[in-house]
């Protein structure tokens, strides 16, 4: 390898954040970080050994590359990586949008940021700023603050402020807006049905607000917009990224959505999509969860070849690497400037948990103050603080996440008096962004009183199972996004016809409710996080409420 080849490979590595398998850094990754790799993207399997092991892992990575980027999808609510096996201790955007307390949103995201900083994660692939124009959207759902652009804008800006007050870079996604699509870009190219004018009026305001709030990164979506992207998705469209740079005046890092997603990998392959993404104006490339070492090497080789052949201008690569370097330097300054900021954010969240259960709080101002002189600079050093999980803002049952989740509950009908309740959870349709993260009321219900059933393919059989399980007992049905599943609605209708005293708990979006008089109690949580579930369990009397 010539000196020029080595320099080019180093420059390409400076814009890549590949994944890896397991909970221990492999040798190839450590060597790549030593050679200039920008960082890594962590997923739930990397975190499966628990918070202490995760902090040790990121410390190992940082010992090789002190200013590396450690990225993760930690949105709170249904999309969680750190808390995948237990459910997130924070409600997600739909719950925060339902409460519509901007100070609360900022405080919750500051707590998420403080947890991530303590674990060594400094780039959160959040918040989701998609305006939910299509209730049947298969991938956004509770990840959105709501259907009103102004609401999404004000809460998106608050989320950005909260995360970055804790020293963690926020990444607004999925530009220019995924909320009106009816297809999942994990599986195929999503299409925004109503063109650029509608996007500018409906979908861009949250991104404008995030840019005004100082967001450090923006992620384009794998979605096509008529009048803007042509046949390409926004993630590979120079015109879409020019809109972000020009009309929105964004100067930070443009970070690609996962290039393994089939919307781009099917037509172009991951290496080909990487070349197109960089050429279009992306600065930092996320490869996805299931790309092995040889996949990373193939991407690096494709980018190097594209520069050598002139298909990709070297100046474009240099520009991207420069922006990523600036981001790394900014986050490194955060770490060294504010050694106590993350702890201050956690303390602010703990002290404010009771206050935020009622409207009107100055807690978010306290969070901003905590980060004013240098956001969350120091992680808790791995090995020096045993039981790190106890020190995370989201680790306590009585924390800010639970308080926020209680405020998001919405009751229709009467508060029930339960007698030996049987709790039946109906399997939801899949959401590829959330995966199979834990959800439901199992933690607060005796094992013998809990059952999970599938509505499809036989709703009548499922209904019969539910009625038998609930005979001579109070009956609680728990669903997620009943509006998206005809089979689920058929089960609910049949059960309610026999048992109108059923308590129905909707842990997704409350777009479908039984007809008036069909049930006595309908409780909407606006999400399926652990915090949402615990709030519902406490409200229903399944468990004694945690003192706030």
């Amino acid at each position: 390898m010539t000196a020029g080849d080595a320099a080019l490979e180093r420059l390409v590595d400076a814009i890549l954040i590949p994944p890896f398998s397991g909970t221990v850094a492999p040798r190839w990754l450590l060597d790549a970080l030593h050679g200039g790799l920008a960082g890594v993207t962590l997923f739930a399997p990397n975190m499966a050994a628990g918070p202490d092991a995760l902090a040790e892992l990121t410390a190992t990575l940082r010992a090789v590359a002190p200013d590396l980027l450690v990225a993760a999808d930690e949105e709170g609510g249904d999309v969680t990586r750190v808390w995948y096996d237990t459910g997130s201790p924070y409600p997600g955007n739909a719950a925060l949008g339902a409460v519509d307390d901007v100070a609360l949103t900022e405080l919750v995201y500051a707590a998420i940021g403080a947890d991530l900083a303590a674990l060594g994660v400094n780039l959160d692939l959040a918040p989701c700023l998609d305006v939910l124009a299509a209730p049947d959207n298969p991938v956004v759902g509770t990840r959105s603050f709501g259907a009103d652009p102004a609401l999404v804008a004000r809460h998106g800006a608050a989320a950005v402020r909260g995360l970055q007050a804790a020293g963690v870079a926020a990444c607004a996604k999925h530009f220019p807006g995924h909320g009106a699509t009816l297809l999942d870009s994990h599986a195929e190219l999503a299409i925004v049905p109503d063109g650029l004018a509608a996007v500018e009026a409906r979908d861009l305001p949250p991104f404008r607000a995030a840019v005004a709030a100082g967001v450090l990164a923006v992620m384009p979506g794998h979605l096509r917009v008529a009048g803007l992207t042509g046949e390409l998705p926004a993630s590979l469209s120079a015109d879409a990224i020019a809109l972000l740079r020009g009309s929105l005046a964004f100067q930070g890092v443009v970070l690609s959505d996962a290039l393994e997603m089939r919307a781009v990998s099917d037509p172009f392959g991951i290496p080909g999509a990487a070349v197109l993404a960089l050429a279009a104006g992306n600065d930092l490339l996320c490869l996805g969860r299931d790309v092995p070492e040889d996949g990373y090497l193939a991407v690096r080789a494709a980018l190097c070849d594209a520069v050598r052949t002139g298909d990709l201008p070297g100046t474009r690569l240099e520009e991207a690497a420069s922006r990523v370097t600036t981001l790394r330097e900014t986050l490194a300054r955060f770490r060294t400037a504010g050694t106590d900021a993350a702890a201050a954010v956690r303390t602010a969240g703990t002290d404010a948990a009771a206050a935020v259960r009622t409207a009107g709080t100055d807690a978010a101002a306290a969070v901003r103050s905590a980060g004013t002189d240098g956001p969350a600079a120091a992680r808790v050093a791995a090995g020096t603080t045993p039981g790190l999980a106890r020190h995370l803002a989201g680790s306590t049952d009585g924390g800010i996440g639970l308080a926020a989740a209680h405020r998001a509950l919405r009751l229709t009908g009467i508060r029930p008096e339960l007698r030996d309740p049987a709790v039946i959870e109906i399997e939801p349709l899949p959401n590829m962004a959330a995966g199979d993260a834990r959800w439901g009321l199992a933690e607060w219900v005796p094992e013998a009183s809990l059952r999970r059933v599938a509505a499809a393919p036989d709703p009548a059989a499922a209904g019969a199972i539910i009625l038998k399980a609930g005979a001579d007992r109070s009956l609680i049905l728990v669903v997620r996004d009943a509006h998206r599943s005809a089979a689920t609605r058929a089960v609910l209708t049949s059960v309610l016809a026999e048992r109108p005293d059923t308590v129905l708990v909707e842990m997704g979006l409350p777009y479908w409710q039984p007809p008036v008089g069909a049930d006595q109690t309908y409780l909407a949580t606006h999400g399926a996080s652990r915090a949402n579930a615990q709030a519902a369990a406490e409200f229903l009397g399944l468990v004694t409420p945690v003192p706030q």
Side-chain angles (χ1 to χ4, degrees), residues 198-390:
V199 166
E200 289 178 332
R202 177 190 62 222
D203 297 319
L204 293 190
F207 291 96
R208 292 187 189 279
V211 171
V215 70
L216 292 172
V218 173
M219 177 183 290
H222 299 319
L223 50 100
R224 191 170 70 200
V225 180
L228 177 63
T229 68
E231 295 302 310
L232 292 170
S235 54
L236 307 183
S237 165
D239 287 340
I241 296 176
L243 176 68
L244 175 62
R245 295 289 189 200
S247 179
L248 275 67
F250 176 64
Q251 300 300 313
V253 166
V254 177
L255 195 166
S256 78
D257 206 347
L259 296 175
E260 72 176 359
M261 293 168 66
R262 294 182 61 186
V264 295
S265 64
D266 274 3
F268 305 113
I270 297 174
V275 173
L276 291 172
L278 183 62
N282 289 269
D283 302 307
L284 183 62
L285 303 186
C286 171
L287 306 187
R289 186 191 66 183
D290 297 321
V291 178
E293 177 191 2
D294 59 358
Y296 146 69
L297 293 174
V299 166
R300 188 176 71 174
L303 290 167
C304 288
D305 288 346
V307 172
R308 292 190 188 101
T309 61
D311 292 336
L312 179 67
T315 53
R316 171 78 273 271
L317 176 60
E318 292 168 355
E319 177 187 51
S322 176
R323 287 200 183 102
V324 173
T325 297
T326 297
L327 175 61
R328 294 173 66 176
E329 291 172 347
T330 298
L331 294 175
R333 286 196 300 271
F334 284 175
R335 287 172 53 79
T336 57
T339 56
D340 297 323
V345 168
R346 287 194 295 274
T347 300
T350 300
D351 293 343
V356 299
R357 297 188 68 159
T358 57
T361 176
D362 293 327
V367 171
R368 286 194 296 274
S369 176
T372 299
D373 297 325
R379 277 175 311 102
V380 177
T384 63
T385 307
L388 175 57
R390 297 194 304 272

Side-chain angles (χ1 to χ4, degrees), residues 58-70:
T58 58
T60 298
L61 301 176
R62 195 155 272 117
V64 177
D67 64 343
L68 90 159
L69 299 174
V70 181

Side-chain angles (χ1 to χ4, degrees), residues 149-174:
L151 180 143
V152 178
R154 61 180 175 266
H155 287 276
V160 168
R161 292 193 299 268
L163 282 172
Q164 295 186 176
V168 173
C171 178
K173 62 187 185 184
H174 306 84

Side-chain angles (χ1 to χ4, degrees), residues 357 402 406 415 533-546:
R357 297 188 68 159
L402 179 59
H406 268 284
R415 191 165 187 167
Q534 184 174 346
E538 291 183 357
F539 181 86
L540 295 172
L542 299 176
V543 64
T544 302
V546 174

Side-chain angles (χ1 to χ4, degrees), residues 345-517:
V345 168
R346 287 194 295 274
T347 300
T350 300
D351 293 343
V356 299
R357 297 188 68 159
T358 57
T361 176
D362 293 327
V367 171
R368 286 194 296 274
S369 176
T372 299
D373 297 325
R379 277 175 311 102
V380 177
T384 63
T385 307
L388 175 57
R390 297 194 304 272
H391 301 280
L392 301 181
S395 65
T396 57
D397 283 341
I400 185 64
L402 179 59
H406 268 284
R407 287 185 60 190
L409 295 176
R410 295 294 182 269
L411 174 68
T412 302
I414 64 173
R415 191 165 187 167
E417 294 184 6
L418 300 175
R419 177 176 51 82
D420 185 26
V423 178
I424 312 297
E425 298 170 344
I426 299 180
E427 288 284 5
L429 294 177
N431 181 312
M432 293 184 69
D436 293 322
R438 183 171 177 174
W439 73 281
L441 301 181
E443 188 168 341
W444 302 277
V445 177
E447 185 176 354
S449 296
L450 179 75
R451 185 163 184 171
R452 187 168 289 188
V453 302
D458 192 343
I465 291 170
I466 292 169
L467 289 169
K468 181 178 179 180
D472 301 319
R473 310 172 68 179
S474 294
L475 179 60
I476 300 174
L477 289 184
V478 186
V479 299
R480 289 174 68 182
D481 292 328
H483 69 283
R484 292 186 56 221
S485 169
T488 297
R489 296 193 300 274
V491 171
L492 297 178
T493 300
S494 67
V495 171
L496 290 172
E498 298 292 330
R499 289 289 304 270
D501 61 329
T502 296
V503 175
L504 179 56
V505 180
E506 171 61 83
M507 297 192 71
L509 294 172
Y511 283 123
W512 180 87
Q513 295 187 27
V516 175

